Amino acid sequence: MCLCKMTDSIQVLNLQNPKGFVATSIQDLGVQENSESIYWIKSFNSNEVGEIIRVGNDMIVIVNVGTNGRVSLMKQLPKSVIADIVNYEDKTYIVSLEQTGHEEYGVSLYDMSSWEQVLDHNHRLHYASHHGLPEQISCFLAHRSGKIVYKIVVLSQDYSLQLIHKTGKIAWRRDEFMAYPTAVEMVDLPVSENQAKFEDEFGSHDDNVMTMFVKRVKTQLSQLQTFVIQQIQKLRGVKHHSVVIEEGGDDDDVDDEEDLLRDEFSLHKMIVMATTPGKIVGMRSINGHIAWQHFVPELNPFDRFGKEKVILHVQRTTAHFPHLPQCVVLGKNKVSGRAHVFAFNPINGQRISQMPVGGLHLPYNIVQSFLLGEWDKDFMKPLILVDDSYSVHTFPSTAQSFVTEQSFNIYMYVSDIDNGMISGYRIIKQQNKLVADNVWKVNIQNQRQNLKITSIVAKKANEHIHSQGRVLGDRSVLYKYLNPNLIAVVTQGEEPATSQQKAYPVINIYLIDVITGHIIFHDNHRKAQGPVHVIHSENWVVYNYYNTKQRRHEMAALEMYEGKNQSNSTVFSSFTAPHQPLVMRQSFIFPLPMYTMTTSDTEKGITAKDIIVGLKNGGIFTLPKAFLDPRRPLAPTQETQEEGTLPYIPELPVHTEGMINYNQTLYHIQGIHTSPTGLESTCLVLSYGLDLFHTRIQPSKMFDVLKEDFEHWLIASVVLSMLVASFITQKLASRKALNRQWK
Amino acid sequence: MENMNCIFLAIIVFLGSISLALSEAIDAEIVDEFKVEGKVEVVSTTNKDWIANTQVNVEGGLFVGHLRSDGSFVINGVPSGSYVVEVINPTYMFEPLRVDITAKGKMRARRVNYLQPAVVKTVHYPLEFRDRRKANYFQKREQWKITDFLFNPMVLTMVLPLVLIMILPKMMNAADPEAQKEMQSQMKALNDKSSLPDMSEMLAGWLGGGASTKSSGSKQNRKR
């Protein structure tokens, strides 16, 4: 038996005499419901036999499929969202959840033979709408003091699991959607209003001294006001009331959350996570509590390189008061496969104005999307969407004129994964519309090896690079080749077997400039197998692969330099860039297999970089980038010692002191996200996958903040005692001198 | 006749294809799968808590095994090849071992050597894992100790002489007056003895010394 969604009918096929499906429409069974959809819940065959079907959003129909293939209606439960059949003490009960109000469900327990309610009074529970509809329930019944009590486990559309017991109270809830992340981003929290007004004074373009002075006085008065109020409140012992939108009705975790404001060193961030069931959630990074949630079931992820991903961009950060911050999530529509966007404020989770509840369904398929590097006058970076006819759209659509102005500068690329082709485009205006115009094509296919592009990695857009070059041992400078338009492309294939040798896998890595299509570098690894994990940052690329001949994992490091002279010290342009930068490469042996790897990120790029590796043995290991330096010499000389490069040892040291998750084992890590903080020495690390783990790392130790156990009192006391001692000795000495004079 | 030949040919081809198909089917079923066995022991403690959260990973999670209550494990379904078997436990560290399984099912266990993969140092099979050491995740924070301060060379060169200068005179004053007089006389003698001819005195003596002796001599004469 199966359900046909198009005709809203139940199709029955007799397996003994298969003659074809016999359809019975729902209406035939007497169900008065103009339903949009029918959904099969489960079948039961204990004392009674039948099927439970949900019709539309709020009707449960229990049908029986007879031996002759006829479908007969057993019971209709209006207003029910889900039901289950339970056998208890030789009786069969139907337990169902009914919609009794907005975000409220009632539990009903019917005896199947008599169809009467067993539970005596109303059992209502609060069921938030962002869980979607319940998909399955499972019920356990027991007798207690003459009454029937139940424990119901509800699995909802957003993969969350809840237990209902007693009089409809929720005992616990597990939000399992967090184990299926598709995109993660960390957003700074906004500064307090006073602080923002203060900064506004400096940002204003008023040249008038009087207005600035008046503004300054006003802001300081308001600051004084808040300070006085705070002091009074502290004295009274009144805690701040929560500004954060907490889930209403949650008895268990209504703790006194602090306001979502930026703290001193910007260590507290808002983690925005998009997940597979279409749940978009904002969590505080300090304690992992969920601040807000959205359920957008029509937003499905793209399937790219074998992984499910949605595209999550921060269009406007919180640094531009009074403009609200904005994030946008781009995915595929569940039904049509066309683009589906959902934009919201990442701090309080509210949808931006004119955004419908389920997200905006756009009428075209997406070929490429990216965030423009420039922001418009409202500090918003428009999201550029290119559809399959290569015409260019923007989100928000009001930014079209701004993009048109900037179009001379916009280049993009589209890769054909299966055929090994990358094409570059520029945006031009054609008959009042923006289109993408093909500029170059690069064919990196090798038909014999059947290469497929397995990953394309670009640099992080907001990365800061502190130094332009590297100081060598003889005090000369080796300038770095810093090309922001470079992508690292990895292709994998297999060399077919010949009479002399067996088939073996190959890996190619290319560094391609996206604007000109120029291949800066190409390397080939024979007998090397993926999965290839690539990190591309600053002027280096580090990638990891498995060497099938030597049966070990290896890490290769590439560094690009321009040479002793810098070609352009102000602005980089791909058209005038040096064609063949000096590429230094070296490979090392990495003893353990890994899930993923990434690099640490700090605000100004002064701190040394750490490579953060998610190992398959459950640890997250940080390795300083200095170990993966292609300039590590085989035989250290005076010069290299001055430079500070470690001598070359083929094996990279992996030890437990470098595991940042100490004894908290983390398996199935899907990705690691790093984010800078206000402190230059500190970087936030969030690992997501089956579990979420968040910590801070200090790649160069904490050089900008005094450590916690800094002995202020000891030093103060030593200084004071020295002062006192010097006074006393002075007095003693003068007394002695005086005495001697009198002798 | 021709028909017979045709049929005969057809039958042979048919039989041939069937046998091929069968052999392929047989080959497909006999993708030999073997099992990896071993035992994990922790000698540092006697309580068995570590067994519950220990996992045996073959080739980074391709095959996973858990331990029985006596610490032994069996991982089934492993095809032939060479694998690195490691025991993962958050508190104890174990050395990984490499297991080579031939197509016939012969097992060989050897130490893992990434630098020289061809070097074979066989190890007893069924595998035996013993804990090497406890996993140490934290570095000790640098503490300020009084000994660091006292043994610092700068402190020794500055503070110690200061102390000696202060203490020694006190010790000398503490002695009784006679001893003091003795010491003073000793010091004088020392001082006189060490009246090595001072350069300037010598020169003065040569050049202008005659005048002083003369004057002293004349003074003496006058007194007489």
Side-chain angles (χ1 to χ4, degrees):
Chain A
M1 182 219 78
C2 66
L3 300 176
C4 173
K5 295 198 178 179
M6 299 252 285
T7 56
D8 282 345
S9 59
I10 304 172
Q11 312 269 5
V12 181
L13 175 68
N14 191 331
L15 286 173
Q16 258 99 30
N17 315 338
K19 282 194 216 124
F21 278 97
V22 177
T24 324
S25 99
I26 293 285
Q27 268 79 16
D28 290 347
L29 297 172
V31 172
Q32 302 295 334
E33 175 83 18
N34 46 346
S35 53
E36 311 95 48
S37 60
I38 51 176
Y39 184 76
W40 179 77
I41 305 286
K42 71 184 281 188
S43 61
F44 55 93
N45 55 0
S46 37
N47 290 350
E48 321 249 345
V49 181
E51 318 280 331
I52 307 180
I53 298 169
R54 176 166 65 212
V55 179
N57 271 354
D58 57 358
M59 160 105 64
I60 292 284
V61 160
I62 306 179
V63 298
N64 179 307
V65 179
T67 42
N68 51 2
R70 273 201 61 230
V71 181
S72 58
L73 181 66
M74 283 170 72
K75 177 77 178 166
Q76 201 177 346
L77 298 167
K79 292 207 293 168
S80 284
V81 277
I82 192 150
D84 190 19
I85 304 282
V86 187
N87 288 327
Y88 181 63
E89 288 182 354
D90 299 332
K91 279 200 249 181
T92 316
Y93 297 94
I94 298 182
V95 61
S96 83
L97 294 177
E98 290 162 6
Q99 185 106 36
T100 51
H102 177 64
E103 294 199 348
E104 210 182 48
Y105 281 0
V107 181
S108 327
L109 195 60
Y110 296 102
D111 187 334
M112 204 149 165
S113 36
S114 53
W115 298 114
E116 53 179 50
Q117 259 274 24
V118 173
L119 298 174
D120 37 10
H121 50 263
N122 275 339
H123 292 220
R124 298 276 167 83
L125 63 115
H126 176 88
Y127 184 87
S129 58
H130 57 65
H131 290 301
L133 289 170
E135 297 263 299
Q136 272 187 47
I137 59 171
S138 202
C139 181
F140 302 96
L141 294 175
H143 252 113
R144 190 173 295 176
S145 52
K147 285 198 286 206
I148 291 194
V149 290
Y150 56 81
K151 277 198 191 324
I152 305 178
V153 173
V154 182
L155 173 68
S156 316
Q157 256 182 317
D158 71 340
Y159 294 16
S160 63
L161 204 59
Q162 306 179 60
L163 181 74
I164 308 172
H165 67 160
K166 296 189 192 164
T167 55
K169 289 220 184 57
I170 298 183
W172 49 257
R173 185 178 63 242
R174 278 189 71 93
D175 295 314
E176 293 294 340
F177 54 80
M178 295 203 265
Y180 298 89
T182 49
V184 163
E185 190 62 64
M186 291 220 247
V187 181
D188 275 339
L189 293 176
V191 288
S192 67
E193 236 183 84
N194 271 333
Q195 192 90 358
K197 276 194 226 153
F198 204 62
E199 288 182 14
D200 180 46
E201 181 211 321
F202 291 107
S204 67
H205 301 293
D206 267 357
D207 287 328
N208 197 347
V209 182
M210 268 317 289
T211 38
M212 284 177 75
F213 182 67
V214 166
K215 229 189 235 182
R216 167 78 70 94
V217 171
K218 269 195 205 153
T219 46
Q220 286 193 325
L221 277 174
S222 66
Q223 274 182 341
L224 186 67
Q225 219 177 16
T226 25
F227 178 70
V228 165
I229 293 175
Q230 264 183 20
Q231 291 303 323
I232 292 176
Q233 280 184 345
K234 247 193 218 171
L235 286 174
R236 276 204 199 142
V238 173
K239 283 196 185 161
H240 293 172
H241 76 92
S242 168
V243 171
V244 175
I245 298 172
E246 274 284 1
E247 288 191 84
D250 256 19
D251 306 0
D252 16 330
D253 51 357
V254 173
D255 19 330
D256 230 342
E257 300 270 20
E258 286 168 5
D259 295 347
L260 278 172
L261 290 175
R262 199 182 293 192
D263 61 340
E264 175 112 40
F265 295 125
S266 187
L267 293 163
H268 187 188
K269 305 240 181 216
M270 178 63 85
I271 300 172
V272 179
M273 194 159 75
T275 58
T276 316
K279 201 77 188 275
I280 300 172
V281 70
M283 302 198 296
R284 299 156 167 268
S285 69
I286 286 272
N287 48 18
H289 289 178
I290 295 181
W292 50 263
Q293 322 185 28
H294 275 294
F295 185 48
V296 189
E298 289 98 45
L299 194 74
N300 264 18
F302 297 107
D303 192 355
R304 194 82 170 146
F305 302 124
K307 286 202 217 155
E308 288 191 335
K309 291 250 173 258
V310 292
I311 299 178
L312 170 61
H313 284 299
V314 179
Q315 283 191 287
R316 184 160 54 208
T317 58
T318 50
H320 312 285
F321 188 80
H323 298 287
L324 293 173
Q326 183 168 321
C327 266
V328 66
V329 179
L330 173 69
K332 270 201 305 208
N333 185 286
K334 195 175 193 164
V335 174
S336 70
R338 300 221 172 94
H340 198 101
V341 284
F342 185 72
F344 52 93
N345 177 336
I347 303 303
N348 55 18
Q350 284 164 356
R351 288 174 277 120
I352 60 168
S353 53
Q354 295 133 31
M355 173 66 46
V357 177
L360 193 62
H361 182 187
L362 298 166
Y364 38 81
N365 285 325
I366 298 278
V367 158
Q368 178 66 282
S369 83
F370 54 97
L371 204 65
L372 190 61
E374 300 278 329
W375 54 47
D376 62 10
K377 59 173 173 41
D378 286 333
F379 306 104
M380 167 92 86
K381 291 188 185 163
L383 179 70
I384 297 181
L385 306 163
V386 180
D387 66 22
D388 43 6
S389 64
Y390 290 100
S391 59
V392 173
H393 309 264
T394 58
F395 180 85
S397 32
T398 48
Q400 190 94 3
S401 54
F402 174 71
V403 173
T404 319
E405 277 171 50
Q406 298 282 328
S407 60
F408 64 92
N409 226 354
I410 307 178
Y411 289 78
M412 55 169 248
Y413 66 94
V414 172
S415 59
D416 183 346
I417 299 183
D418 297 318
N419 296 331
M421 286 263 290
I422 305 185
S423 338
Y425 297 83
R426 64 183 176 147
I427 311 288
I428 54 171
K429 196 162 167 172
Q430 219 179 53
Q431 295 155 359
N432 274 354
K433 280 199 309 171
L434 287 174
V435 286
D437 181 41
N438 194 334
V439 173
W440 52 263
K441 265 198 181 39
V442 164
N443 187 346
I444 46 181
Q445 180 58 279
N446 181 331
Q447 294 295 349
R448 188 186 75 235
Q449 289 175 347
N450 196 14
L451 295 174
K452 294 223 183 324
I453 298 181
T454 52
S455 63
I456 300 183
V457 181
K459 293 193 243 224
K460 242 185 180 173
N462 56 355
E463 189 180 58
H464 276 251
I465 300 167
H466 189 245
S467 63
Q468 290 174 339
R470 206 175 150 145
V471 180
L472 302 178
D474 59 352
R475 306 274 191 265
S476 64
V477 177
L478 194 58
Y479 287 97
K480 296 182 186 172
Y481 176 74
L482 298 165
N483 185 345
N485 310 312
L486 206 61
I487 51 170
V489 180
V490 175
T491 58
Q492 285 175 241
E494 192 169 282
E495 184 73 43
T498 62
S499 50
Q500 272 102 19
Q501 60 190 13
K502 295 195 291 197
Y504 59 82
V506 291
I507 292 180
N508 290 307
I509 182 156
Y510 301 86
L511 293 175
I512 302 180
D513 180 306
V514 165
I515 301 210
T516 55
H518 184 62
I519 299 183
I520 305 288
F521 176 74
H522 167 217
D523 200 0
N524 174 280
H525 292 275
R526 293 168 64 244
K527 303 197 180 157
Q529 200 173 44
V532 179
H533 305 103
V534 184
I535 308 177
H536 184 192
S537 169
E538 289 188 14
N539 68 329
W540 48 265
V541 175
V542 164
Y543 58 100
N544 165 277
Y545 55 90
Y546 182 70
N547 185 332
T548 49
K549 181 155 178 240
Q550 313 280 8
R551 281 192 265 264
R552 60 192 184 201
H553 292 270
E554 291 179 358
M555 282 246 238
L558 305 170
E559 275 191 11
M560 281 83 74
Y561 292 102
E562 279 180 12
K564 298 288 171 102
N565 312 313
Q566 207 174 19
S567 63
N568 187 336
S569 55
T570 45
V571 150
F572 183 91
S573 165
S574 285
F575 297 120
T576 59
H579 269 243
Q580 291 299 126
L582 192 67
V583 179
M584 302 191 152
R585 55 195 200 253
Q586 182 65 281
S587 56
F588 304 85
I589 302 172
F590 192 72
L592 298 169
M594 63 167 79
Y595 286 117
T596 178
M597 64 176 181
T598 183
T599 176
S600 70
D601 192 13
T602 52
E603 202 175 317
K604 295 197 170 47
I606 302 173
T607 329
K609 287 218 179 242
D610 254 5
I611 309 283
I612 304 169
V613 181
L615 297 169
K616 282 201 172 160
N617 69 359
I620 300 180
F621 178 63
T622 52
L623 181 71
K625 172 71 175 61
F627 281 101
L628 288 163
D629 187 357
R631 304 196 75 250
R632 277 174 78 174
L634 275 167
T637 65
Q638 186 66 22
E639 241 185 64
T640 59
Q641 274 186 343
E642 282 226 23
E643 222 183 283
T645 48
L646 307 154
Y648 177 78
I649 299 175
E651 206 162 335
L652 291 171
V654 175
H655 46 83
T656 49
E657 273 96 355
M659 307 276 187
I660 55 178
N661 60 338
Y662 37 100
N663 65 352
Q664 314 282 322
T665 322
L666 290 167
Y667 292 120
H668 298 291
I669 299 174
Q670 214 174 316
I672 303 179
H673 183 92
T674 55
S675 157
T677 63
L679 284 173
E680 176 53 34
S681 62
T682 315
C683 167
L684 298 175
V685 173
L686 172 72
S687 115
Y688 54 93
L690 191 57
D691 300 310
L692 290 170
F693 181 79
H694 176 90
T695 184
R696 299 176 202 158
I697 57 165
Q698 280 110 14
S700 302
K701 307 283 185 304
M702 191 140 81
F703 55 78
D704 48 6
V705 175
L706 286 177
K707 58 184 166 91
E708 279 161 359
D709 53 353
F710 186 76
E711 286 125 9
H712 294 97
W713 290 116
L714 183 70
I715 291 183
S717 62
V718 165
V719 169
L720 270 174
S721 61
M722 294 219 135
L723 258 170
V724 166
S726 62
F727 264 124
I728 292 178
T729 43
Q730 192 212 22
K731 285 276 179 319
L732 282 173
S734 61
R735 205 193 308 161
K736 196 164 170 187
L738 195 61
N739 283 349
R740 211 183 295 143
Q741 297 260 340
W742 277 105
K743 278 202 185 130
Chain B
M1 266 304 283
E2 275 180 352
N3 269 353
M4 284 288 288
N5 274 344
C6 278
I7 292 175
F8 192 57
L9 210 61
I11 291 176
I12 291 199
V13 167
F14 183 60
L15 282 172
S17 64
I18 286 188
S19 63
L20 252 176
L22 269 178
S23 62
E24 263 177 25
I26 293 173
D27 274 357
E29 279 163 24
I30 316 180
V31 169
D32 281 342
E33 294 192 334
F34 309 100
K35 51 184 184 169
V36 175
E37 295 175 305
K39 193 165 151 88
V40 180
E41 271 176 350
V42 166
V43 284
S44 339
T45 67
T46 44
N47 79 36
K48 302 274 185 184
D49 289 344
W50 56 270
I51 293 188
N53 49 12
T54 307
Q55 204 180 34
V56 180
N57 266 11
V58 174
E59 206 61 43
L62 205 55
F63 303 99
V64 172
H66 294 272
L67 306 182
R68 296 201 194 101
S69 53
D70 62 348
S72 63
F73 65 89
V74 173
I75 301 177
N76 292 306
V78 182
S80 60
S82 174
Y83 304 97
V84 173
V85 180
E86 48 186 3
V87 178
I88 300 173
N89 183 295
T91 3
Y92 299 103
M93 306 297 300
F94 297 87
E95 290 273 329
L97 290 174
R98 193 181 271 284
V99 169
D100 303 318
I101 309 178
T102 63
K104 300 278 190 322
K106 205 160 105 60
M107 308 279 213
R108 180 180 70 171
R110 55 188 169 110
R111 295 219 180 274
V112 168
N113 189 337
Y114 289 117
L115 289 169
Q116 299 160 306
V119 163
V120 176
K121 254 184 101 177
T122 42
V123 160
H124 177 254
Y125 181 86
L127 304 167
E128 275 168 8
F129 290 96
R130 218 157 267 133
D131 63 320
R132 293 280 147 183
R133 56 188 170 276
K134 261 196 145 162
N136 180 27
Y137 296 107
F138 304 107
Q139 288 170 329
K140 230 174 141 169
R141 231 187 245 244
E142 288 169 10
Q143 289 289 347
W144 189 86
K145 284 193 285 227
I146 194 82
T147 52
D148 290 341
F149 183 64
L150 282 180
F151 291 139
N152 193 3
M154 258 181 32
V155 164
L156 279 179
T157 48
M158 288 201 313
V159 172
L160 211 62
L162 204 74
V163 162
L164 286 174
I165 289 173
M166 304 254 316
I167 289 186
L168 277 179
K170 289 263 163 56
M171 273 170 45
M172 292 212 246
N173 286 344
D176 48 335
E178 278 191 2
Q180 230 182 29
K181 274 194 191 152
E182 238 181 74
M183 283 215 318
Q184 275 189 358
S185 58
Q186 267 184 13
M187 294 259 287
K188 259 196 192 159
L190 263 172
N191 272 344
D192 283 336
K193 270 213 181 119
S194 68
S195 60
L196 287 168
D198 202 16
M199 261 321 252
S200 55
E201 273 184 36
M202 247 172 42
L203 283 173
W206 289 344
L207 298 174
S212 64
T213 48
K214 267 186 194 168
S215 66
S216 64
S218 64
K219 265 193 190 163
Q220 277 178 348
N221 287 338
R222 274 198 203 142
K223 271 193 182 167
R224 282 198 208 129

